[in-house]
Amino acid sequence: MSTDSKQKTALLKNLPAVHEILDRPRLKQAQADQSLPRWALRQAVQIVLERQRTEIIKGERADVQPFDHLESDILKETEKLLLPSLRSVINATGVLLHTNLGRAPLAKEALDAILETAKGYSNLEFNLDTGKRGLRYQHVEALLCEITGAEAALVVNNNAAAVFLALRALAKGKEVIVSRGELVEIGGSFRIPDILRESDAELVEVGTTNRVHVKDYEQAIRSSSGLLLKVHPSNYRVIGFYKEVELEELVALGRRFSLPVMHDLGSGCMLDPQQFNLQGEPSVKEALESGVDLVTFSGDKLLGGPQAGIMLGRERLLHKIQGHPLNRIMRIDKLTLAALEATLHLYRDSYLPLKNVPALAMLTAKQETIRKRAQRLAGKLKKILPSSFQIGLQSTVARTGGGSMPQEAIPGTAVRVRSTSYSAATILARLRLASPPVIARIEKDEVILDVRTMQKGEEPLLCGAFKETFV
Ligand SMILES: *Cc1c(COP(=O)(O)O)cnc(C)c1O
């Protein structure tokens, strides 16, 4: 045996046993007063010992750490084991409706409603006037109709479900006419052709990738046609030699041939998009005013509420969809419903959504406000971080994300961080593992922190994450 492997064997032998470590005073105390669960402590000890073993075998460790150090490692590891898998992160990406980060943060009113509904029983499907069974959808139907001017409304689990259910209930076994330029894929698992196939409707493509005319739709209409579908291309744009058919024209065509017209809006912008200086995003009201028979959209995109699929339109159609057996499979959950009702309530006032719906408040925050916030954050980071870090400001653009307005850039100011000790990729990776995790992006080997998507009160948490990681 070489001296090297002799030494390794000695080191491995020296490693304490699990029960020995658990008997050390700090860990023993934690077990005695039950401040930390025994299963977590045990697992943490095993993890830390295993790490030591690997390091010794790889020759990365010349001595076994004193017990004390092991103990603090174990306590840290125990805390990690006790963290939930799903937890809050700081979104410093500048993407407002970041699908991977849970899209829209909820308004306080929505949070309160969730808590209130979750803590006990509710009249979810119980009519308090008659004492008989009620329908869960009714808690938001009148409100949705009041805000948007729709004839009827129905809500399901998400917009993908809404589109699928509507097609299945209204066009099963029939042909659905769609422009080729609107056969989009949204976020990997939602593709219009696949949804049509799964709903047992037959896809009839019309037009070309970049241009479609109303006569293309008209020529495709046959006795087996069931529906005219328009889809908001959401996450991409064709620019240049491009033509789509306006909703009004499609509605007129549908009327002539007694075919329902459905529009998958994607994002449900309930306010006038002009209010945000954002072009190219249709509002729900506008779509309904065109006379379209059915619109569908998400609850957690520009509406700024919980994940939900909202359907608005003709009562006759929505009645049919509501009664479809698959509706039961896609039904909206009571906590979502509570959050949705509370969010929609804000829309009864014209100014409240911009103030109280976080996604809209972030979207419309003034450049000057964003610049001041970035300045303040940069100042704090400068104070905390060692001199190997350089902190500065730079102009940046935020995006709405979530498949709305892909080309719309929202100007603002970001904090940029670089270090002579760490690459930008390393800083980014370490921030992801901090508590709370901070999600940011890299530009030109600098870490960019966009304050527009940070919530009130997150600045000290972000500073804490930097401190914990780099100081
Ligand atoms: C986002 C989007 C969907 C899917 O909505 P979810 O609420 O995520 O299920 C469907 N269609 C369009 C056009 C979209 O933009």
Side-chain angles (χ1 to χ4, degrees):
M1 215 190 263
S2 69
T3 43
D4 189 34
S5 57
K6 259 188 208 155
Q7 194 189 359
K8 281 183 185 173
T9 313
L11 282 171
L12 287 172
K13 248 190 184 158
N14 253 352
L15 272 177
V18 174
H19 70 90
E20 277 178 277
I21 299 183
L22 284 172
D23 274 350
R24 297 290 301 167
R26 271 164 80 193
L27 301 186
K28 202 164 186 168
Q29 183 61 38
Q31 294 168 79
D33 62 20
Q34 298 188 341
S35 56
L36 293 170
R38 214 181 140 74
W39 68 263
L41 275 170
R42 239 174 204 289
Q43 262 187 39
V45 170
Q46 277 156 0
I47 290 168
V48 170
L49 282 180
E50 194 47 46
R51 204 181 291 147
Q52 296 278 325
R53 240 175 246 125
T54 313
E55 283 177 12
I56 292 170
I57 290 164
K58 279 190 182 163
E60 290 168 358
R61 181 167 293 286
D63 60 340
V64 174
Q65 289 176 351
F67 273 171
D68 274 357
H69 201 301
L70 280 186
E71 276 182 58
S72 61
D73 277 3
I74 287 160
L75 288 171
K76 248 193 233 153
E77 205 59 53
T78 310
E79 269 168 34
K80 268 210 313 223
L81 287 170
L82 292 173
L83 280 176
S85 169
L86 178 64
R87 54 209 163 101
S88 35
V89 304
I90 295 179
N91 176 5
T93 63
V95 180
L96 278 119
L97 303 166
H98 201 305
T99 299
N100 302 149
L101 303 183
R103 288 203 189 144
L106 292 181
K108 182 178 179 304
E109 290 81 352
L111 300 178
D112 291 345
I114 289 177
L115 208 62
E116 184 63 24
T117 307
K119 74 182 181 201
Y121 299 104
S122 62
N123 62 338
L124 180 65
E125 292 188 346
F126 185 75
N127 186 320
L128 292 174
D129 291 328
T130 62
K132 298 211 170 90
R133 182 167 181 197
L135 286 172
R136 62 180 63 212
Y137 321 104
Q138 282 168 350
H139 297 291
V140 289
E141 184 173 12
L143 199 49
L144 276 165
C145 293
E146 178 194 314
I147 300 165
T148 63
E151 196 178 293
L154 180 66
V155 287
V156 288
N157 184 54
N158 59 5
N159 188 31
V163 174
F164 171 74
L165 184 62
L167 290 171
R168 178 85 175 205
L170 305 179
K172 181 180 173 180
K174 295 184 196 156
E175 290 175 357
V176 172
I177 305 173
V178 196
S179 159
R180 184 161 292 149
E182 294 175 5
L183 293 175
V184 294
E185 168 176 316
I186 289 144
S189 50
F190 182 86
R191 307 174 107 188
I192 293 294
D194 296 351
I195 296 290
L196 272 162
R197 196 182 49 245
E198 291 303 322
S199 61
D200 269 345
E202 192 171 332
L203 166 65
V204 176
E205 297 176 36
V206 293
T208 61
T209 308
N210 59 327
R211 286 172 76 83
V212 64
H213 305 270
V214 95
K215 68 170 192 300
D216 295 327
Y217 286 91
E218 183 168 351
Q219 280 164 5
I221 294 176
R222 298 192 291 162
S223 61
S224 47
S225 303
L227 190 130
L228 303 178
L229 175 64
K230 190 168 173 59
V231 182
H232 190 264
S234 289
N235 45 12
Y236 92 109
R237 284 285 181 280
V238 179
I239 49 172
F241 192 52
Y242 169 76
K243 184 184 179 299
E244 64 176 314
V245 172
E246 293 300 323
L247 197 52
E248 283 80 3
E249 296 175 83
L250 218 51
V251 168
L253 185 67
R255 292 267 161 82
R256 252 198 311 131
F257 289 90
S258 299
L259 282 176
V261 179
M262 167 175 158
H263 188 11
D264 174 13
L265 275 170
S267 188
C269 186
M270 289 282 206
L271 303 174
D272 180 359
Q274 303 295 326
Q275 246 177 303
F276 318 117
N277 283 327
L278 293 174
Q279 272 93 48
E281 193 61 36
S283 83
V284 172
K285 250 193 197 148
E286 257 171 21
L288 287 167
E289 278 163 10
S290 73
V292 70
D293 299 291
L294 184 66
V295 295
T296 73
F297 55 93
S298 301
D300 53 354
K301 290 186 181 172
L302 279 178
L303 174 64
Q307 176 191 303
I310 301 173
M311 290 180 256
L312 304 174
R314 303 255 170 261
E315 173 147 35
R316 180 179 57 83
L317 299 182
L318 285 164
H319 191 75
K320 202 166 169 190
I321 298 171
Q322 190 190 301
H324 195 281
L326 284 178
N327 180 28
R328 172 64 180 78
I329 291 167
M330 298 164 189
R331 79 176 179 191
I332 191 163
D333 137 81
K334 67 176 179 180
L335 302 184
T336 309
L337 198 58
L340 184 61
E341 184 185 3
T343 307
L344 290 171
H345 253 291
L346 298 169
Y347 281 88
R348 289 179 136 166
D349 263 300
S350 55
Y351 70 95
L352 270 183
L354 293 186
K355 196 166 141 275
N356 292 14
V357 174
L360 296 184
M362 288 173 182
L363 182 62
T364 53
K366 293 203 170 61
Q367 274 192 62
E368 181 56 17
T369 314
I370 299 293
R371 195 177 57 79
K372 280 190 186 144
R373 274 166 51 192
Q375 259 168 354
R376 201 176 53 215
L377 179 62
K380 289 204 173 140
L381 287 176
K382 268 181 206 160
K383 271 194 203 136
I384 295 170
L385 290 169
S387 57
S388 56
F389 280 82
Q390 288 103 55
I391 320 286
L393 295 179
Q394 79 168 49
S395 26
T396 189
V397 288
R399 308 266 168 190
T400 48
S404 49
M405 302 171 292
Q407 84 282 38
E408 219 64 65
I410 310 145
T413 309
V415 177
R416 60 186 163 80
V417 180
R418 73 154 81 215
S419 160
T420 47
S421 323
Y422 308 95
S423 70
T426 304
I427 298 177
L428 207 66
R430 295 223 182 155
L431 286 175
R432 275 203 311 271
L433 297 176
S435 15
V438 177
I439 318 297
R441 65 174 200 273
I442 295 178
E443 266 173 34
K444 295 185 195 131
D445 207 35
E446 290 186 319
V447 171
I448 303 295
L449 302 165
D450 194 330
V451 292
R452 187 178 289 275
T453 44
M454 283 172 57
Q455 302 233 69
K456 238 189 218 149
E458 282 183 343
E459 192 188 277
L461 294 174
L462 183 135
C463 291
F466 266 95
K467 206 167 169 179
E468 155 200 326
T469 314
F470 298 107
V471 182

